[in-house]
Amino acid sequence: MNKEDFPILNQKINGRQLIYLDNSATTQKPKQVIEAMNRYYEQYNANVHRGIHQLSLRATVAYEHAHEIVAQFIGAKFEEVIFTTGTTEGLNLLAYSLGKDLQPGDEIVLSEMEHHSNIVPWQRLAREKNLKLRYIPLTAEYRLDLNAAAEIITRKTKIVSVTQMSNVLGTINPVEELAGLAHARGALLLVDAAQAVPHLPINVKGLDCDFLVFSGHKLCGPTGIGVLYGKKELLEKMEPFLSGGDMIKEVTFEHSTWNDLPWKFEAGTPNIAGAIGLAAAVEYLQTIGMENIAQQGRELTRYALEKLSTVPNIQLLGPATAEDRGPIFSFIVEEMHPHDVGELLDSEGIAVRGGHHCAMPLHHKLGLVGSTRASFYFYNTREDIDALVEALQKLWKEEMEITIDRNEISSTALSEEQELYKENILDHYKNPRHKGELAIYSVKHREFNPLCGDDVMMYLHFNNGTISNASFTGQGCVLSQATASLLTEHIQSMPAKKVKSLTREEVLSLLGIPVSPTRIRCVLLPLKTVQRGIEQHETGN
Ligand code: C6P
């Protein structure tokens, strides 16, 4: 691997060398992938499986070859690899197609560490067909409780669907063992390998899973392309998910028959450039070697565990040892909202993710609204971990230039007047006005920002169309909480009609400092809560 293969990594962010640690969200793309996609668009862009002209033939060959490359990469047969838009579509396809055969009372077993993509489609199916969802719990070491799994997976279980590597905890789950448990009870085993395929050599036959899904963009490929692997005999029996062009063999006005695998599950013009990019990404990973990538991931994991455990004010989530663990580290910084931590690290050029990482139930289970996550890939180094640890140490020692009371509200240089506004914001954060329930109120309304966990409940009391009293409760980052305090003060005795027409500019002017685009949502959440509260009062809903 050559770091120069990744042009994007060679840039400064906020005056610092970029350190990209958000690889679980999406990985960066090497030149080889970008060039392969460009070549398709520049030299042989055409639809596949349709034209008889040269360009179409070339595109078809490349598209089918991409299936071959991916099939060989995961140890599957050509017919068993279906291109989707990503892990999410793969899981939705499975819930739809497998769901057709399920009966009321049947059970689906998931785990407590699943991504929303492996929960929500099953919840919808369960509601529609009166099925029961059960969850394998976690142990205190953040691993799956396999004793509990052996009891939860029963003859009533029809599907077990689990992540192979948690996108929050980094835990690697024993898929073979779960396959054994599921198959012994007559159930199917589905694997969400979105985080595992980028880091581990995968052989679907060795895992003995029935289905496995992943996304191209997490392994150096483009977005909008993903893979569904399924055992051929199962795919043959399943109903297609989407229907239309290319997935059919014959169509009359009355009925249609389905194309052969894998095309039966690929309706419409596919993401040809995406497939070509994915194949280039797989070939790129293969030149490095998946064993080498896994080995380097283990080394980074060991080093990160050792280093991060030296930072006093952070609590690491996930297994404490490098065994069965990938290089994904979520943590809580004492007394700081993940959003604030993320923005502070960004000011040091370090890109991480803050929030619930699309695993809200897991965070709730751990008693958290969110966490900060640093996730590594093979182009990361020990020096990147050192830089992260150093930045976190700075946070702890309150050395960061822009840190005030361990909470940051603006990373841009401020004028003298804006500095005063900043002090005012901090004062509202530390000593919120009108915080707490109102004893008497006309309406209460709650809004929640699912991206970061900011949570605001507004209590409003009306008198002749005027807000005679307002208060709020909730928790979140400095900006959301300070704005709620400023806003409840601002709207006291204001006609409800006027409050309803308050604009974002007016709310921003209450803050008086520039707010970065990523934080506008934090500021607007209290405004949305008040305005929806008034609407709720007016409509009675
Ligand atoms: N997790 C993360 O930051 P899509 O969005 O379809 O490519 O992948 C969904 C998905 C499913 N399962 C797991 C275990 C995942 O980690 C993800 C994507 C990203 O953690 C984006 S939310």
Side-chain angles (χ1 to χ4, degrees), residues 22-26 84-91 113-118 162-168 192-196 213-218 223-226 328 353 356-359 373 375:
D22 196 15
N23 293 290
S24 288
T26 198
T84 60
T85 57
T87 307
T88 304
E89 188 185 291
L91 289 163
M113 61 172 87
E114 296 312 314
H115 185 278
H116 297 163
S117 295
N118 197 23
V162 287
T163 184
Q164 189 174 358
M165 187 187 290
S166 162
N167 68 321
V168 177
D192 172 353
Q195 300 294 345
V213 288
F214 61 97
S215 304
H217 67 97
K218 293 188 199 288
T223 50
I225 185 90
I328 301 172
R353 184 171 172 185
H356 52 62
H357 321 306
C358 299
R373 186 185 67 189
S375 50

Side-chain angles (χ1 to χ4, degrees), residues 312-314 333-337 340-341 344 392-400 402-409 426 429-430 478:
N313 60 328
I314 69 165
V333 178
E334 223 172 74
E335 290 174 35
M336 282 192 73
H337 192 275
D340 297 322
V341 177
L344 272 171
L392 291 170
Q393 296 269 17
K394 271 207 223 170
L395 269 184
W396 179 62
K397 292 188 202 147
E398 302 184 18
E399 274 174 4
M400 272 192 192
I402 48 174
T403 303
I404 301 176
D405 205 349
R406 292 166 141 199
N407 284 298
E408 169 271 351
I409 50 176
L426 281 167
Y429 175 64
K430 285 188 274 183
V478 186

